Amino acid sequence: MTKIGAGFLTLALLAVPLAAEAAPNTPPIVPPTADQTLKPVDPKLAPKGFSRDLPSPYTPNAEGLRPPSTANADMAYGAYQRGRYNTAFREASKRVETNPKDAAALTLLGELYNQGLGVKQDPKRALEWYRLAAGLGDAHAMASLGLMAMDGRGQPKDQKAGRRWLEQASEKGEASAAYNLALLQLGSGKPEDVTAAATLFEKAAKAELAPAQHDLGVLYLQGRGVPKDSTKAAEYFRRAADNGDLAGEVEFAILLFNGNGVAKDEPRAARYFLHAAARGNAIAQNRVARLYVVGRGVSKNLVEAGAWNLAAAAQGLSDAWLDQSLTGLTKEERTRAEALGSERAKVQP
């Protein structure tokens, strides 16, 4: 389990296994364990284990909104989105020359230096640009400064300063800052801080930040910081899944399969499991294999079961029950399963 520093807990502690009901003689479809559910994100920008899959300031959100700089065409932003980082740097620099108070352009320059895109990576230069933008009230720059202070990137580590930056960014509506503040609140273990974390997760979830939607769903499922409510948990997991969060996709599939907080629908659950499995999630691959063995939500198919079992095993998730269930495969069927499993194992989440 990864850590974000002394005195802090990762959100992985929330994702403890949850009870799941299953029909007699049918292997249970259980939630992923903590270490298999959550993973660290963008190592270039965030401390290990601190946050997951957070968008950069210039990544469009689920609604396709433009950056905060302008409603007009933005050549620097457009170039960044297309991976033309040299052009993005050149256009952002032109904008700053024309208007030294162009906060969005200043933030983009900070982003490019921070990640080493189009320019040599230089955290100290990134800090300079971010600080100029933050001084002009740019919430994205504030959030980046918060993460960099927490990580000691381009500067000595300063947890208090990092938190202050995140708080300022969150107050301005920056979703990733609210999310990271929620993770910090969870670190104390105090009930009142868990409640505060839930409020921050909700704030980020409303901005369609998928990790926040997943993590808020976990809190509702467990009744931590919020009243226990499997219906709300299912809704947040669904939204997280629809926004591309693998953990949310698996959690929603589990609730769908068991009819917990949402109408039971095994074929629909199987589709979510299959989608997550195809994206390389080992838990989903294992669950799909089990479904193919028993013919629940999908037609029974031992070759498919064997293929998905092998794909999951390639990621270290072994399953003695599945291994035993697949001993009856013929030599030809096993060969086909091995070929399919090898191909699917190449896809990593």
Side-chain angles (χ1 to χ4, degrees):
M1 184 179 296
T2 55
K3 296 181 180 179
I4 62 173
F8 294 118
L9 298 175
T10 67
L11 191 63
L13 293 179
L14 288 176
V16 298
L18 303 166
E21 298 178 359
N25 302 319
T26 300
I29 303 298
V30 297
T33 64
D35 289 339
Q36 294 162 329
T37 301
L38 303 182
K39 59 181 181 180
V41 259
D42 196 351
K44 297 177 182 176
L45 294 177
K48 271 191 175 181
F50 190 72
S51 57
R52 301 175 300 109
D53 300 329
L54 300 183
S56 79
Y58 287 83
T59 301
N61 65 15
E63 297 176 350
L65 300 180
R66 297 199 56 77
S69 56
T70 175
N72 300 320
D74 187 332
M75 292 181 65
Y77 164 79
Y80 178 90
Q81 289 299 98
R82 293 191 297 274
R84 296 170 57 188
Y85 302 120
N86 290 328
T87 301
F89 181 81
R90 184 173 61 251
E91 293 299 325
S93 297
K94 286 181 182 178
R95 284 173 49 173
V96 171
E97 289 174 4
T98 302
N99 178 13
K101 293 187 177 182
D102 187 334
L106 292 168
T107 300
L108 178 53
L109 289 172
E111 184 85 354
L112 294 170
Y113 273 112
N114 197 14
Q115 297 191 55
L117 301 173
V119 291
K120 183 179 179 180
Q121 193 171 38
D122 189 336
K124 290 186 177 180
R125 290 295 302 276
L127 283 174
E128 293 172 3
W129 291 113
Y130 282 144
R131 284 169 178 160
L132 288 171
L136 295 168
D138 189 279
H140 301 301
M142 293 174 184
S144 294
L145 286 171
L147 291 178
M148 293 182 78
M150 291 280 183
D151 197 27
R153 188 169 175 76
Q155 63 191 311
K157 284 187 178 182
D158 191 333
Q159 302 289 338
K160 290 183 178 179
R163 184 162 187 151
R164 285 195 298 270
W165 279 122
L166 291 175
E167 287 170 347
Q168 290 182 55
S170 178
E171 288 171 2
K172 286 181 169 289
E174 219 291 325
S176 67
Y179 177 79
N180 283 298
L181 278 174
L183 295 181
L184 287 173
Q185 294 281 36
L186 290 175
S188 75
K190 298 177 181 178
E192 61 270 25
D193 287 342
V194 178
T195 299
T199 299
L200 288 165
F201 279 142
E202 185 174 14
K203 182 177 182 180
K206 286 180 178 178
E208 298 302 326
L209 193 64
Q213 292 167 336
H214 166 268
D215 299 344
L216 186 56
V218 172
L219 290 181
Y220 271 112
L221 202 58
Q222 297 182 344
R224 294 189 61 201
V226 290
K228 191 171 184 178
D229 189 330
S230 59
T231 299
K232 285 188 176 180
E235 176 61 18
Y236 278 113
F237 287 148
R238 182 197 61 77
R239 287 171 60 187
D242 290 349
N243 283 323
D245 188 85
L246 262 174
E249 196 163 32
V250 174
E251 296 281 11
F252 183 59
I254 291 165
L255 296 188
L256 265 177
F257 187 90
N258 293 314
N260 184 11
V262 63
K264 184 178 178 66
D265 190 333
E266 291 186 4
R268 187 183 177 201
R271 289 194 294 273
Y272 273 94
F273 278 129
L274 278 165
H275 188 261
R279 294 173 64 193
N281 183 275
I283 293 293
Q285 291 169 345
N286 172 268
R287 280 18 178 202
V288 166
R290 284 175 167 249
L291 293 180
Y292 273 119
V293 167
V294 296
R296 298 279 296 274
V298 292
S299 298
K300 187 172 181 177
N301 187 322
L302 295 186
V303 171
E304 281 293 318
W308 286 118
N309 183 38
L310 289 170
Q315 296 192 60
L317 181 54
S318 59
D319 189 323
W321 182 89
L322 273 172
D323 294 340
Q324 179 63 34
S325 299
L326 296 169
T327 55
L329 286 172
T330 66
K331 183 177 179 180
E332 186 272 335
E333 289 174 332
R334 187 168 297 280
T335 299
R336 285 166 51 204
E338 288 173 352
L340 287 170
S342 177
E343 190 64 31
R344 290 166 184 174
K346 296 176 184 178
V347 180
Q348 295 295 317

